[in-house]
Amino acid sequence: MASTERAAREQVSDQEHLLNTLLAERDGLLSVLDRVLALHGAARLIRDAAGADAGFVADVDRPGSSDDGQAVIRWLAGNRTDALQDLVVPTGQGVGGRVMALGRPVRVSDYVSSPSITHQFDLPVRREALGAMLAVPISDGEGPRPVAVAYAALRGPGSFGDAAVDAVQRIAAEAAQAIRLAERAEAGRYTAVAAERQRMQASLHDSVGAMLFSIGAQVRDLRTTVPDNPLLRTRLGRLETDVSAASLALREALLALSESSPERALPIELAEHCRSFEARTGTTARLVQLGDVRPLDVERTTLLVSAVREGLLNAEKHADACAVVVSLGEIDGGVQVAVADDGRHAGDDLVGSTSDGAGLGIRLLVEKAARLGGRVSLVHDDDGGTTLRMFLPGVR
């Protein structure tokens, strides 16, 4: 009996350990995929890595041209007061503003007496009793200006050596990577939500919209066929008015559901085509977005969607595929989509505009892409599988 109880306790202990491990992994993942959590954690890491008394991070806001911008100190570790919380730091002012202007680390041995910086923020710095300070840019690699600023500070005069600068820069690089992952995760969530809204729009249109149309038609027929009954005609008229009002409300709701920003329109459309293909054929189809894609004009967006639709249609008709992957990404200053399946095809490869075996749909894509300076390729792998690619250069 005792051995049975001991085994049960050990099993519970093992399960508890596994649960704690999973919770820790979840917290770590959330800290990477959430910008706020990532930068809040960076403040504590900066303080520890630099051997500082305080660490804090400012988020850079860039509302206009590359000549303006400001930072707001939002995440702090080791602070004693709220003097620095939500402090706005314009470009060029103080240590953080100088980092934004120069794009490189800045350090001072005593903040309030340093001749190399401006002193608009001496009062909150004194309230926090800070002296030596180091600030490092957090850059996403996509522009000359940082997306955030990392600070380390000592209480009282002192100095930060090169080792401290290197340590804070390592934390800044990790924070920059976390920001990129968080923004990509947010983009993925936005795309998923928008795709769901599009599905809801189609469902409402096909079900509720069709039902309201049918009811309205039947009411109109009744009004023309019922005997001369003023009371019944009045009630039918009110019913027809109610149906019209409901139809108008439905149209407004459908328009609201269909709204999406231009930069999200292409991935949302491609994700919806993958979903429809999978539902129609039972073959797994998924969209892989290889980084952000800048907004495109209507002509290019429409043509890229047409290429994916053609690739999915070919896979459905000829491939006998088990899986299809649609990829979207920027390359060589333009945008490329690819539809790859693992099925079997018969026919010649198509590169550019040459192949008598290519279908009419592919040939039309080749011609349209060529007018925009783009190219199309259709390649059948020796070991099975086909990939249709379309590349379109960006707007000059």
Side-chain angles (χ1 to χ4, degrees):
M1 185 67 178
S3 61
T4 303
E5 292 179 354
R6 185 166 54 254
R9 285 197 299 270
E10 290 175 353
Q11 184 178 11
V12 170
S13 178
D14 291 342
Q15 291 175 344
E16 182 179 5
H17 176 71
L18 177 60
L19 177 60
N20 290 335
T21 301
L22 291 173
L23 289 174
E25 291 177 354
R26 182 207 63 177
D27 292 341
L29 180 61
L30 288 175
S31 68
V32 171
L33 297 183
D34 187 286
R35 177 189 178 96
V36 173
L37 285 176
L39 292 180
H40 183 272
R44 177 180 53 80
L45 293 173
I46 289 164
R47 181 193 60 182
D48 297 342
D53 296 312
F56 38 103
V57 177
D59 207 3
V60 174
D61 177 28
R62 292 174 287 176
S65 69
S66 59
D67 295 327
D68 58 21
Q70 62 184 21
V72 182
I73 297 175
R74 299 199 184 280
W75 303 282
L76 301 99
N79 55 305
R80 295 175 177 173
T81 73
D82 60 356
L84 299 176
Q85 184 67 57
D86 297 327
L87 183 68
V88 177
V89 182
T91 299
Q93 296 185 11
V95 170
R98 188 165 174 77
V99 166
M100 286 192 288
L102 299 177
R104 58 176 173 79
V106 173
R107 48 185 163 175
V108 296
S109 58
D110 184 31
Y111 188 98
V112 297
S113 65
S114 174
S116 64
I117 60 171
T118 63
H119 291 278
Q120 291 88 343
F121 312 116
D122 284 0
L123 181 59
V125 170
R126 281 196 178 99
R127 285 185 58 194
E128 192 60 41
L130 299 178
M133 192 174 296
L134 163 68
V136 170
I138 298 177
S139 302
D140 61 3
E142 296 183 359
R145 297 174 64 83
V147 296
V149 178
Y151 296 80
L154 299 174
R155 288 198 161 82
S159 63
F160 286 103
D162 292 342
V165 175
D166 291 341
V168 175
Q169 285 183 314
R170 284 196 297 271
I171 302 299
E174 293 173 0
Q177 183 179 13
I179 289 173
R180 287 193 293 271
L181 290 172
E183 291 176 347
R184 188 164 298 177
E186 180 63 25
R189 286 192 292 269
Y190 187 100
T191 300
V193 169
E196 180 61 27
R197 290 172 63 182
Q198 192 173 62
R199 286 193 288 272
M200 290 173 60
Q201 179 196 26
S203 178
L204 286 171
H205 178 272
D206 294 342
S207 58
V208 180
M211 182 173 60
L212 287 174
F213 178 82
S214 177
I215 292 173
Q218 292 180 55
V219 170
R220 287 190 293 272
D221 289 343
L222 282 174
R223 288 189 65 189
T224 60
T225 58
V226 296
D228 187 12
N229 186 328
L231 179 60
L232 181 57
R233 285 181 177 274
T234 300
R235 296 177 69 177
L236 287 173
R238 290 175 182 172
L239 180 57
E240 187 175 5
T241 300
D242 290 344
V243 171
S244 297
S247 297
L248 177 60
L250 177 63
R251 284 196 296 273
E252 291 175 350
L254 294 179
L255 285 174
L257 284 171
S258 67
E259 290 178 356
S260 63
S261 59
E263 63 270 23
R264 301 299 180 205
L266 181 57
I268 290 169
E269 187 76 12
L270 298 187
E272 180 62 18
H273 278 292
C274 288
R275 186 202 66 82
S276 298
F277 173 86
E278 186 169 326
R280 186 172 64 250
T281 65
T283 301
T284 300
R286 63 189 181 98
L287 171 67
V288 177
Q289 186 169 342
L290 307 173
D292 296 332
V293 176
R294 70 194 71 184
L296 299 171
D297 56 59
V298 174
E299 185 177 15
R300 284 172 171 76
T301 298
T302 302
L303 188 52
L304 291 168
V305 171
S306 298
V308 169
R309 189 165 55 238
E310 182 68 25
L312 291 173
L313 180 63
N314 283 344
E316 182 177 356
K317 291 193 301 183
H318 308 300
D320 191 23
C322 296
V324 179
V325 175
V326 177
S327 60
L328 167 68
E330 292 192 354
I331 182 174
D332 297 334
V335 177
Q336 177 176 277
V337 294
V339 182
D341 65 62
D342 60 356
R344 293 174 287 103
H345 279 261
D348 299 329
D349 288 355
L350 170 74
V351 179
S353 60
T354 61
S355 176
D356 295 334
L360 178 60
I362 302 294
R363 295 183 191 180
L364 290 175
L365 289 176
V366 170
E367 294 173 2
K368 292 178 179 179
R371 286 198 290 268
L372 295 174
R375 57 183 181 270
V376 174
S377 65
L378 179 65
V379 178
H380 306 309
D381 299 331
D382 293 337
D383 56 352
T386 298
T387 301
L388 170 66
R389 288 188 179 86
M390 174 181 282
F391 168 82
L392 295 179
V395 180
R396 294 183 176 85

